[in-house]
Amino acid sequence: MEYRKLGETDLAVSAITFGAWAAGGWMWGGNDDDAAIEAMKTAHDMGVTSIDTAPIYGQGKSEELVGKAIKGIARDKVQILTKYGMRWDDNKGTLAFKSKDNDGKDIDIYKYAGKESVISECENSLKRLGTDYIDLYQIHWHDMTTPIEETMEAVLRLKEQGKIREAGVCNYTAEQMLTAETVIKLASNQVPFSMVNRGIEDELIPHCIAARKSILAYSPLERGLLTGKMQPGQKFGEGDHRASVKYFKDENIKRTNDFLTRIKPLADEKNATLGQLVIRWTIEHPGITIALVGARNAEQAKQNAKAIEVKLSGEEIEFINTQLNDLQIVG
């Protein structure tokens, strides 16, 4: 495995980090708890020492499963990345969207990051995770009702108390990052980035490179689309959010598969899967520090970790990029 420091901090995380959204079941049509825990343990055995989670993933469930998975592992041998700022148990802030929990009960999700909320969320996360500190604490989404400075003052207090090691953000613009940094030094910004979703290339990546901030790319496999295992007419289970996402429209699955067919010979040449080739391309992309990749079971976790063994030359990356430039996503 390769390990990379976040921003200008001393916090080193695995270049392939375990993304634990699906482990919470919520918005993924449920999950198998034992399989999720085994996936995390297997990933760690393969050198994936970092796990990214959030309270909202299963309304605490993902964090609880992470806590069970890391139990017995020396605390300095694992890095816990979690978040705050999305509440299902309070109605302050702004309504983000309506959803259902894992039991099918209606819930309202709010974006809220007032100072007192950040402090209490951290305490709850520490309990669920079974630890006394969080390595990277990230705001999940910008809360328009709370000044960024107020939110970051709470995070600074948590850092001074030793409850978190470093501060990060998610889904922030470059301007929002600059505002946050008037209060606390940021390590990173976690944002969506994949071969079919490259919107951060114009502004955010150049900013982070210049400011020496890390980018944690989430959904690098575009939630399974870039594995090549999906076909037009794909059926998703009840509660699976992908059914309403544009990338999973039949026409876009077809177009993506046509692109993947063109780069598959390169994957075959390297004795790698398409998913592994995509993960490697992601962490080789300028400005991208970490790829967050989820796994439902131990075998998927093992295959994801092995992506680190794929080596790409400059010419091979250019070949992939050339093929990618012909891919147009519609809708």
Side-chain angles (χ1 to χ4, degrees):
M1 184 52 61
E2 298 171 16
Y3 302 91
R4 301 176 176 180
K5 288 189 176 180
L6 295 185
E8 297 178 295
T9 75
D10 290 328
L11 175 58
V13 299
S14 49
I16 298 171
T17 287
F18 191 102
W21 178 11
W26 175 70
M27 295 184 74
W28 287 87
N31 79 316
D32 181 315
D33 291 3
D34 292 338
I37 292 170
E38 191 60 30
M40 289 183 244
K41 288 182 176 180
T42 298
H44 189 271
D45 291 343
M46 298 287 292
V48 177
T49 59
S50 313
I51 304 177
D52 179 84
T53 182
I56 194 62
Y57 299 159
Q59 295 71 61
K61 184 174 184 179
S62 176
E63 284 189 329
E64 290 171 357
L65 294 181
V66 170
K68 292 178 180 178
I70 65 172
K71 196 171 184 180
I73 299 174
R75 185 61 184 84
D76 63 348
K77 301 299 182 186
V78 62
Q79 300 83 46
I80 299 173
L81 291 52
T82 195
K83 310 179 186 78
Y84 62 92
M86 293 199 83
R87 301 293 297 264
W88 68 95
D89 51 352
D90 202 344
N91 60 1
K92 294 179 181 177
T94 56
L95 179 66
F97 58 94
K98 293 180 175 290
S99 184
K100 292 182 182 292
D101 65 15
N102 286 331
D103 295 322
K105 177 186 173 185
D106 290 332
I107 52 173
D108 293 337
I109 313 298
Y110 285 83
K111 295 178 184 176
Y112 183 60
K115 183 178 288 187
E116 81 291 345
S117 183
V118 176
I119 300 296
S120 65
E121 280 205 72
C122 184
E123 294 298 334
N124 291 334
S125 288
L126 290 171
K127 290 175 185 174
R128 285 189 289 258
L129 291 162
T131 185
D132 55 4
Y133 70 91
I134 292 160
D135 294 278
L136 181 69
Y137 203 41
Q138 311 158 95
I139 185 167
H140 209 147
W141 289 91
H142 173 55
D143 165 26
M144 294 185 295
T145 68
T146 304
I148 291 174
E149 294 88 343
E150 177 187 328
T151 297
M152 295 303 152
E153 284 168 7
V155 178
L156 180 60
R157 183 195 300 178
L158 292 170
K159 186 173 183 180
E160 291 169 345
Q161 293 173 343
K163 293 179 179 178
I164 69 167
R165 287 180 64 188
E166 300 296 344
V169 296
C170 303
N171 306 298
Y172 258 37
T173 64
E175 183 179 357
Q176 289 165 344
M177 291 180 73
L178 289 171
T179 302
E181 285 225 297
T182 63
V183 178
I184 191 170
K185 191 177 183 69
L186 297 177
S188 57
N189 191 355
Q190 183 180 148
V191 287
F193 177 76
S194 73
M195 285 178 165
V196 296
N197 183 7
R198 297 162 63 184
I200 64 171
E201 289 181 333
D202 294 336
E203 181 181 353
L204 192 62
I205 286 181
H207 169 76
C208 288
I209 290 175
R212 302 182 69 179
K213 306 300 172 189
S214 285
I215 291 179
L216 282 59
Y218 70 81
S219 299
L221 293 173
E222 205 51 66
R223 291 159 280 193
L225 177 66
L226 290 166
T227 62
K229 296 177 180 177
M230 293 192 177
Q231 299 298 326
Q234 185 80 27
K235 301 297 182 186
F236 295 103
E238 186 176 351
D240 192 320
H241 73 287
R242 290 176 292 181
S244 61
V245 175
K246 70 176 182 180
Y247 300 109
F248 300 95
K249 290 182 178 179
D250 285 354
E251 179 61 24
N252 287 331
I253 291 177
K254 180 181 181 300
R255 291 179 179 214
T256 302
N257 285 348
D258 288 345
F259 155 71
L260 293 172
T261 297
R262 295 196 296 273
I263 66 169
K264 190 173 187 304
L266 180 59
D268 293 341
E269 180 185 317
K270 297 181 177 297
N271 197 28
T273 66
L274 280 167
Q276 289 166 341
L277 185 68
V278 171
I279 293 169
R280 186 76 228 195
W281 175 89
T282 303
I283 59 176
E284 290 292 341
H285 194 285
I288 304 298
T289 308
I290 302 300
L292 299 169
V293 191
R296 294 281 201 152
N297 54 55
E299 183 56 32
Q300 288 179 1
K302 190 180 299 183
Q303 292 302 316
N304 291 341
K306 284 184 176 180
I308 207 70
E309 299 170 7
V310 178
K311 305 302 177 187
L312 291 173
S313 67
E315 291 79 6
E316 289 167 336
I317 292 173
E318 182 58 33
F319 165 74
I320 293 172
N321 290 341
T322 299
Q323 301 304 313
L324 194 52
N325 289 337
D326 292 334
L327 173 59
Q328 299 295 325
I329 297 295
V330 297

